[in-house]
């Protein structure tokens, strides 16, 4: 048996140790993610690290308590008396009601803050309503739209991505982004709900038919990435992929020059649909043919 003062010291040391280990795990979690290719990715990684640290702390606390109890609180063999009652312990009730409430509020608050730092215009408008009431709206919009911004339209249809560069009058099947420059994506869907998802960008946004959503961000790391559809948008949705490049300003300029005579890639879904394997069992379920890629319409 430990004396009360020793118990307090042991508790203090184990909590301190738990904080150190949780913090360390939180820092480790930055390496579990793919490369962070945009400026905004940092916010999402920070939130993830915070959640990992918090989760580790709770996990260590609960498991530590169980292990501690197993070692120190064993009943003697043949001892069938009831244990110490925890019912009616107001202190304990208060503790395990207040702690999760505060934790959940804290997580919600952190997530909300990060979401506000991401510049999704269709959604920010709702939050801006309050500012417009007090007459600050023009100021807010002025802050939000810097002079130098690259606008790119992203058009999704079953199951093909199309990118339009209105400032350069280019239409392509691969997305090129200029490094270190603000980019505004204008997301549009022509049929059903699709999801724009590049893991390295930490950016996943649903695209809703008849509803344009603008998203502004800054690409940072040069390289080739892959765009996926994060929504189940039909039979061939898993083939709904596109190459995404972050180019240095010079390479981006060159690409814009050469893109007019670019060889455009055929849609993966259309190719797959054309080469359907012979099946023993046919379900004859109704399905939708892949939309013709825009190349064929020219
Ligand atoms: Cu889709």
């Amino acid at each position: 048996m430990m004396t009360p003062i020793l118990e307090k010291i042991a508790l203090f040391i184990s909590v301190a140790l738990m904080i150190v280990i949780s913090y360390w795990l939180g820092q480790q979690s930055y390496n579990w993610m793919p490369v962070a290719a945009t400026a905004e990715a940092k916010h999402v990684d920070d939130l993830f690290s915070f959640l990992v640290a918090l989760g580790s702390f709770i996990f260590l606390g609960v498991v530590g308590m169980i292990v501690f109890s197993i070692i120190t609180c064993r009943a003697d063999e043949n001892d069938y008396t009831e244990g110490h009652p925890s019912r009616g312990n107001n202190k304990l009730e208060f503790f395990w009601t207040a702690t999760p409430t505060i934790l959940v509020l804290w997580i919600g608050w952190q997530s909300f803050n990060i979401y506000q730092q991401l510049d999704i215009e269709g959604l920010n408008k709702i939050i801006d309503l309050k500012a417009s009431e007090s007459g600050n709206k023009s100021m807010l919009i002025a802050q939000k739209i810097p002079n130098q911004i690259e606008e790119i339209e992203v058009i999704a249809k079953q199951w093909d991505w199309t990118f339009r560069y209105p400032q350069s009058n280019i239409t392509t099947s691969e997305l090129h982004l200029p490094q270190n420059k603000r980019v505004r994506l204008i997301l549009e869907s022509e049929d059903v709900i699709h999801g724009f998802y590049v893991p390295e960008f930490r950016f996943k946004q649903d695209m809703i038919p008849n509803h344009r959503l603008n998203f502004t961000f800054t690409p940072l790391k040069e390289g080739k990435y892959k765009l996926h559809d994060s929504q189940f948008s039909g039979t061939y949705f898993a083939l709904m992929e596109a190459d995404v490049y972050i180019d240095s300003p010079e390479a981006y300029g060159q690409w814009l020059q050469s893109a007019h005579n670019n060889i455009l890639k055929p849609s993966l879904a259309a190719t797959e649909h054309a080469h359907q394997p012979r099946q023993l069992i046919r379900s004859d379920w109704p399905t939708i043919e892949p939309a013709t890629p825009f190349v064929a319409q020219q």
Side-chain angles (χ1 to χ4, degrees):
M1 276 286 126
M2 278 196 270
T3 58
I5 184 85
L6 262 179
E7 242 173 43
K8 283 227 167 77
I9 292 172
L11 186 71
F12 183 79
I13 291 173
S14 32
V15 170
L17 206 65
M18 275 161 57
I19 291 175
V20 171
I21 296 173
S22 312
Y23 178 78
W24 178 78
L25 270 169
Q27 293 302 305
Q28 290 309 105
S29 74
Y30 282 100
N31 305 324
W32 305 342
M33 291 287 217
V35 187
T38 62
E40 286 69 17
K42 199 189 163 293
H43 300 305
V44 180
D45 286 3
D46 287 346
L47 179 65
F48 181 65
S49 166
F50 166 77
L51 290 177
V52 167
L54 198 64
S56 309
F57 186 77
I58 294 169
F59 176 81
L60 290 173
V62 171
V63 172
M65 203 62 216
I66 293 171
V67 172
F68 177 78
S69 306
I70 290 173
I71 294 170
T72 64
C73 305
R74 287 190 173 214
D76 294 328
E77 220 179 322
N78 301 321
D79 177 3
Y80 293 104
T81 54
E82 283 200 14
H84 176 74
S86 62
R87 202 187 308 162
N89 185 335
N90 284 338
K91 249 193 208 166
L92 196 63
E93 293 279 353
F94 180 78
F95 174 75
W96 69 37
T97 308
T99 310
T101 309
I102 292 168
L103 281 182
V104 168
L105 286 176
W106 187 16
I107 294 168
W109 176 243
Q110 283 270 25
S111 314
F112 179 74
N113 272 342
I114 287 168
Y115 208 73
Q116 279 225 294
Q117 285 166 34
L118 304 179
D119 195 358
I120 303 173
E121 267 161 41
L123 297 167
N124 275 350
K125 261 179 212 148
I126 302 160
I127 301 158
D128 280 350
L129 276 181
K130 256 195 158 166
S132 73
E133 280 165 17
S134 53
N136 278 338
K137 185 152 191 180
S138 54
M139 200 183 81
L140 271 170
I141 288 175
Q143 278 175 349
K144 232 181 246 164
I145 304 172
N147 299 328
Q148 290 250 313
I149 202 152
E150 193 78 8
E151 282 200 345
I152 302 164
E153 287 174 26
V154 178
I155 301 141
K157 59 185 175 186
Q158 284 171 322
W159 295 268
D160 192 48
W161 297 103
T162 304
F163 309 101
R164 264 181 39 76
Y165 294 73
Q167 285 144 335
S168 316
N169 197 22
I170 293 171
T171 308
T172 69
S173 51
E174 53 184 42
L175 178 60
H176 281 253
L177 302 166
Q179 188 188 16
N180 294 328
K181 196 177 169 191
R182 300 276 288 162
V183 172
R184 179 179 299 125
L185 294 183
I186 300 156
L187 303 175
E188 284 171 64
S189 165
E190 287 191 352
D191 35 41
V192 295
I193 297 176
H194 299 277
F196 183 101
Y197 178 41
V198 182
E200 289 83 359
F201 292 8
R202 310 285 190 280
F203 167 34
K204 184 155 83 65
Q205 180 59 53
D206 287 0
M207 299 164 72
I208 299 141
N210 305 318
H211 187 94
R212 286 156 72 106
L213 254 173
N214 296 358
F215 185 84
T216 311
F217 67 103
T218 313
L220 285 189
K221 277 227 163 69
E222 253 185 278
K224 184 184 176 185
Y225 307 99
K226 201 119 217 164
L227 167 63
H228 303 274
D229 182 7
S230 61
Q231 291 291 340
F232 174 66
S233 55
T235 317
Y236 297 101
F237 91 102
L239 298 173
M240 199 169 159
E241 287 181 342
D243 291 334
V244 180
Y245 297 87
I246 296 180
D247 296 333
S248 65
E250 303 83 52
Y252 182 71
Q254 276 173 15
W255 178 78
L256 281 184
Q257 291 301 313
S258 64
H260 288 283
N261 37 30
N262 224 0
I263 299 158
L264 292 149
K265 283 178 195 160
S267 153
L268 278 176
T271 316
E272 180 76 14
H273 183 77
H275 298 106
Q276 270 195 343
R278 279 166 183 252
Q279 286 165 317
L280 282 175
I281 304 160
R282 290 200 159 271
S283 69
D284 284 327
W285 286 336
T287 187
I288 301 159
E289 267 189 42
T292 339
F294 69 93
V295 196
Q297 296 165 358
Q298 284 173 345

